[in-house]
Amino acid sequence: MRGLPARWWSVPVALAGWELLTRWARAVYFPPPSVIAARLHEMWFSGPATRLFLTDDALGDVLPSLGRLLLGWSTACLVGVVAGVAVGRSARLSEYAGPLIQLGRSIPPPTLLPIFLLLFGVGTPMQVAAVVFGVTWPVLINSADGARYVDRGYLEAAQVFGVNRGRRLLLVVLPAAAPKIFAGLRLSVSLALIMMIVSELVGSTEGIGYRMLVAQSELDIPSMWAAITLIGLLGYGLNTVFLRVERRVLAWHPAGT
């Protein structure tokens, strides 16, 4: 406990305050954290040790949700980085594609869910498409900005030494744009989680969002809060893992040390 960072002390204090306040107020729609934690354990983490304590619901809901999230996020990151670097390094392409990019990023992704439902039907393809559309834009825009504003001195030095265009892209442009690219990737993690849940609320027969929708229809308030808590924990865990990877990859950069 002595090594616990000072910022973490706010967590047990907030939970204790929440517990006391909700028990005193007897609020139906705001159960105490102890009740939420018990339901969270019962729903998803009370399975056998051989399955890492995962229940059948965890295998049927949490793992498919994570699979769709990771597939949609990785696809969007690949598309966003490739398209963003291309737009950033080509003035003509940026001129033509710029208005389309601004138009696309201005459309709230949830508004296209009915279109995705018509195109792909209920299921994983629709949910992955929703994640890809929602996540691509911050990655693309940050990648384009990073590739556009590479120090000309680096490029001229590479040209003087006879480095061809492809190697300049790999050895100069991408490393110089990496901080901006990772900034877009960091934003995209939380967006991917949001779009995964939203898509499961609209067109799914499994997943965390679907389980939360079922709990709502049954007025099972503790289960709703358990799903919300699990979403928050997943978001925090994914962000923590990404920050560790980012620090390791950008350890050479002054801002990453």
Side-chain angles (χ1 to χ4, degrees):
M1 296 295 289
R2 183 176 300 176
L4 190 67
R7 65 180 182 272
W8 284 105
W9 286 108
S10 62
V11 176
V13 171
L15 290 176
W18 184 358
E19 182 81 21
L20 293 174
L21 183 61
T22 51
R23 288 191 178 277
W24 172 78
R26 299 181 183 274
V28 176
Y29 298 108
F30 295 93
S34 58
V35 174
I36 297 172
R39 185 59 59 87
L40 181 70
H41 175 264
E42 176 189 350
M43 290 175 65
W44 288 306
F45 301 107
S46 58
T50 54
R51 295 195 313 201
L52 301 177
F53 303 102
L54 296 176
T55 64
D56 292 336
D57 285 340
L59 297 176
D61 292 325
V62 180
L63 295 186
S65 290
L66 286 176
R68 288 188 285 262
L69 184 150
L70 294 175
L71 177 59
W73 180 75
S74 58
T75 302
C77 291
L78 178 62
V79 172
V81 170
V82 172
V85 171
V87 169
R89 297 309 304 164
S90 172
R92 177 166 295 183
L93 183 58
S94 178
E95 180 180 356
Y96 287 113
L100 296 176
I101 293 173
Q102 296 304 320
L103 176 63
R105 68 175 295 202
S106 300
I107 299 174
T111 62
L112 292 181
L113 288 177
I115 304 298
F116 293 144
L117 275 171
L118 290 174
L119 292 175
F120 302 105
V122 174
T124 296
M126 184 279 291
Q127 293 149 4
V128 171
V131 173
V132 171
F133 182 84
V135 169
T136 297
W137 305 111
V139 180
L140 192 156
I141 291 170
N142 278 272
S143 299
D145 285 345
R148 183 178 296 117
Y149 299 113
V150 176
D151 192 325
R152 290 189 61 83
Y154 297 152
L155 296 172
E156 292 172 355
Q159 190 172 6
V160 167
F161 282 101
V163 179
N164 62 43
R165 192 169 183 177
R167 289 178 63 83
R168 284 204 302 271
L169 177 65
L170 294 176
L171 300 179
V172 179
V173 175
L174 287 180
K180 272 286 200 178
I181 292 174
F182 270 90
L185 295 178
R186 187 165 61 248
L187 288 173
S188 70
V189 173
S190 59
L191 286 175
L193 182 61
I194 292 170
M195 288 307 303
M196 177 199 76
I197 297 300
V198 171
S199 66
E200 290 177 350
L201 290 173
V202 175
S204 180
T205 57
E206 61 180 5
I208 302 172
Y210 171 75
R211 192 58 52 193
M212 186 164 57
L213 193 64
V214 171
Q216 179 188 5
S217 66
E218 298 174 350
L219 295 180
D220 187 352
I221 306 302
S223 294
M224 288 176 55
W225 278 98
I228 293 170
T229 302
L230 181 61
I231 294 167
L233 293 173
L234 286 175
Y236 181 83
L238 291 171
N239 187 66
T240 300
V241 171
F242 182 85
L243 287 176
R244 289 182 180 274
V245 173
E246 181 184 20
R247 290 193 187 102
R248 184 176 294 272
V249 173
L250 297 182
W252 57 271
H253 193 268
T257 58

